Amino acid sequence: MRKKLFTILTIVLGTMFMVSCGSDEPKTEPITPVVNEDILKIMTRNYLWALPTEPNLYQATEPFFGSLLNAKDVYTDNGNKYTYSKISPVSGQVGTVYDPGFEYAINNYRDDANPGKVITYYVILYVKPRTVAADYLLRGLYITTVNGVAVTAANAPTLLYDAYKDGKDVDLMIRTPQIVAERKITIKPYGNYVEAPLHTAKTLTAGAQKVGYVLYNHFSSGTKTGDYTYDNALATQLNKFATDKVTTLVFDVRYNSGGSVSAIQALGSALVKNRDTSKAFIEQLFRADLANPNIPLKFLEKTGGNTAIPKLGDQLEKIYIITGQSTAGASEALINALKAYNKEIILVGEQTKGRPVATSNTQDVTKQWNLRIALSYLADVNKTYNYANGFTPNHIIKEVQANADLNENTTLLGELGTDKEIILSQILNMIKGNQFEAASGTRSAGIDKEVKTSLSRRPGSNETSVELIDLN
């Protein structure tokens, strides 16, 4: 009897011990091999690179997805490593996304009067229309404090973002480069602000030449599938350039960090000489063992919204493309494809990021997981895509930080689309026949590194979107 009682107590105490230990352990995601099998099928039919031969289905879905990714699925941005392919639970979708009404960069510069001291501020890159910020801010202004907290090198990556991300009003202290005196303004963030990509478009003159200037900040055909509002607006502007007899185009993508391939297909169709709709502008290169390892994206006569695409390229003598440290994805695919047709493409600005991979969104059949899959390389008509390290400009100008010395007068970066703007002014001088002269002191030589901007938080940044199709 005593032995039997001891056995029962042992079982009870053991069970209590297991329950007690279990209560301290974090809850783990259930193992769902059926969902993993579905994800594996999607990856097998679409993924750009080779998959593991015997993946372990019996593990949680997120680590399972990670185990499928090829070593080539990695890129580096600002010293951090990311993957083109991503997975996220459908239940974790973001609600309202708030926008401050402007894009900005973190700028560090040295104070020559105090060796070793670094001064940090936000500099306004551009202001977005239809926002409160448009009433108060200008490109090139400095933001020195946010809600009473001074901007420092340590807090700058998150200080401003944390202040506006929940939609609350934000107090800013601003100043100009020339005037140290500051003034306070209050901005109201916008929920789910939709930014049209065509920010600025003008016909300018440089000597006897007509110059078309376009600042295009992301590549998207429209606000949703089947909407071609943005493609139509750009095609209409290019038609105007054709009517204005523009002979030089300046296409500014310094803040363009990604977008849709279909949007650059329409643009490229306007810019090449002797457009031939039977030829490819871009080649999508998929995994070699798939039934359709490449699909050509041919030149178009009209946008998806039925707006005529002009043959502007036939009258253009030169095309200048302004690039920046945020230029990535679809912008680079455009540059790569145009260079195959026109050796006179001239890049001015800064080294681009180097993102030759196109991705596509889908869900597993249970609608539990959102997948973003590396789908193809974006190559030119010759099937070349050797821009993984980005494009180096013909003429390098680093626009952020107008002067390295805090004690000297500095100037605003200049209104975009005018001859006062730091990069466009150089291009207009070159068009007039003058030699290129790098703008003096455009960034402190002592702190010459990649500038962190708010553009990295833009939806679709560092990405190029293509439609997911059955390749088998």
Side-chain angles (χ1 to χ4, degrees):
M1 181 68 180
R2 185 177 297 173
K3 183 176 181 182
K4 184 177 181 181
L5 179 61
F6 177 79
T7 303
I8 292 172
L9 285 171
T10 301
I11 294 172
V12 170
L13 289 171
T15 303
M16 290 174 61
F17 178 77
M18 286 188 289
V19 170
S20 175
C21 288
S23 64
D24 294 332
E25 294 178 356
K27 293 182 179 180
T28 57
E29 179 194 331
I31 296 173
T32 51
V34 174
V35 172
N36 291 352
E37 286 175 356
D38 178 47
I39 290 173
L40 180 59
K41 288 178 183 177
I42 293 171
M43 294 288 281
T44 301
R45 299 178 77 90
N46 297 282
Y47 191 50
L48 177 55
W49 299 289
L51 293 159
T53 54
E54 295 183 2
N56 176 19
L57 293 167
Y58 291 90
Q59 56 181 314
T61 297
E62 288 186 275
F64 170 73
F65 182 80
S67 74
L68 300 179
L69 301 187
N70 192 283
K72 295 178 181 178
D73 202 328
V74 176
Y75 65 86
T76 302
D77 190 30
N78 255 329
N80 299 314
K81 290 187 176 182
Y82 303 93
T83 56
Y84 288 103
S85 302
K86 301 175 179 66
I87 187 169
S88 60
V90 172
S91 59
Q93 289 302 287
V94 177
T96 302
V97 176
Y98 288 96
D99 191 297
F102 58 92
E103 297 291 356
Y104 57 92
I106 299 168
N107 200 16
N108 299 302
Y109 62 97
R110 66 177 185 268
D111 181 353
D112 287 349
N114 299 284
K117 184 178 181 181
V118 175
I119 307 298
T120 302
Y121 57 80
Y122 298 111
V123 59
I124 306 297
L125 298 177
Y126 70 89
V127 183
K128 301 178 182 180
R130 301 178 289 103
T131 65
V132 172
D135 296 330
Y136 298 101
L137 298 177
L138 292 172
R139 168 175 158 81
L141 286 176
Y142 300 168
I143 298 173
T144 58
T145 68
V146 178
N147 288 338
V149 179
V151 182
T152 66
N155 68 22
T158 58
L159 178 64
L160 182 51
Y161 175 69
D162 286 344
Y164 71 74
K165 68 179 181 180
D166 295 325
K168 298 176 183 176
D169 290 0
V170 182
D171 293 330
L172 304 175
M173 294 298 291
I174 61 173
R175 53 160 287 196
T176 70
Q178 303 96 332
I179 303 172
V180 176
E182 300 177 341
R183 68 186 180 95
K184 180 180 176 181
I185 67 166
T186 300
I187 62 165
K188 184 177 183 60
Y190 277 67
N192 297 329
Y193 177 84
V194 178
E195 179 185 359
L198 184 56
H199 183 279
T200 306
K202 294 182 178 180
T203 299
L204 308 170
T205 57
Q209 293 197 50
K210 291 283 187 71
V211 179
Y213 171 82
V214 174
L215 173 64
Y216 212 71
N217 287 335
H218 61 90
F219 282 107
S220 174
S221 297
T223 57
K224 57 186 177 181
T225 302
D227 176 19
Y228 298 95
T229 303
Y230 299 152
D231 280 357
N232 292 344
L234 181 56
T236 298
Q237 180 60 53
L238 297 177
N239 273 296
K240 184 179 184 302
F241 286 159
T243 301
D244 290 346
K245 301 190 184 306
V246 160
T247 56
T248 302
L249 179 70
V250 180
F251 202 78
D252 192 342
V253 291
R254 75 183 88 175
Y255 309 130
N256 193 316
S257 57
S260 166
V261 170
S262 61
I264 60 173
Q265 185 181 6
L267 174 60
S269 298
L271 301 186
V272 297
K273 294 184 182 297
N274 305 313
R275 180 174 72 207
D276 183 347
T277 54
S278 68
K279 292 184 178 180
F281 176 52
I282 290 175
E283 289 275 357
Q284 285 185 261
L285 305 183
F286 303 93
R287 201 171 73 233
D289 65 319
L290 296 175
N292 297 295
N294 71 288
I295 295 178
L297 301 178
K298 297 181 179 180
F299 291 111
L300 305 172
E301 295 284 355
K302 296 181 179 181
T303 68
N306 212 35
T307 299
I309 299 173
K311 293 185 176 181
L312 183 61
D314 290 345
Q315 68 187 58
L316 293 178
E317 296 175 6
K318 284 187 179 180
I319 298 175
Y320 291 85
I321 298 180
I322 299 179
T323 61
Q325 292 187 15
S326 297
T327 304
S331 298
E332 295 174 303
L334 172 72
I335 294 168
N336 188 57
L338 283 176
K339 279 178 166 288
Y341 282 95
N342 186 345
K343 303 302 181 185
E344 293 300 312
I345 301 293
I346 301 168
L347 305 185
V348 183
E350 297 196 59
Q351 183 91 6
T352 68
K353 283 188 177 292
R355 305 285 185 268
V357 173
T359 59
S360 188
N361 291 328
T362 189
Q363 289 183 340
D364 69 301
V365 294
T366 65
K367 308 300 181 186
Q368 294 181 51
W369 297 95
N370 289 317
L371 310 177
R372 188 162 188 87
I373 302 171
L375 192 69
S376 70
Y377 287 110
L378 293 179
D380 63 18
V381 67
N382 302 313
K383 296 183 174 58
T384 300
Y385 55 91
N386 55 350
Y387 56 98
N389 294 321
F391 289 99
T392 301
N394 303 83
H395 306 289
I396 296 176
I397 303 179
K398 300 175 180 180
E399 69 165 356
V400 176
Q401 181 128 357
N403 200 293
D405 190 345
L406 182 63
N407 301 311
E408 295 180 8
N409 288 331
T410 58
T411 59
L412 287 169
L413 298 176
E415 183 183 349
L416 290 160
T418 72
D419 60 2
K420 304 300 182 185
E421 196 276 309
I422 192 169
I423 297 180
L424 182 58
S425 62
Q426 290 282 334
I427 294 174
L428 293 175
N429 279 330
M430 286 190 285
I431 294 171
K432 292 176 185 176
N434 299 321
Q435 292 293 319
F436 169 78
E437 296 180 5
S440 61
T442 51
R443 189 177 304 146
S444 168
I447 317 173
D448 190 4
K449 61 182 180 180
E450 187 167 9
V451 174
K452 293 181 173 64
T453 72
S454 56
L455 298 165
S456 62
R457 292 194 175 94
R458 176 186 287 159
S461 65
N462 290 322
E463 296 173 348
T464 306
S465 297
V466 293
E467 184 180 352
L468 188 70
I469 54 179
D470 192 344
L471 300 171
N472 283 292

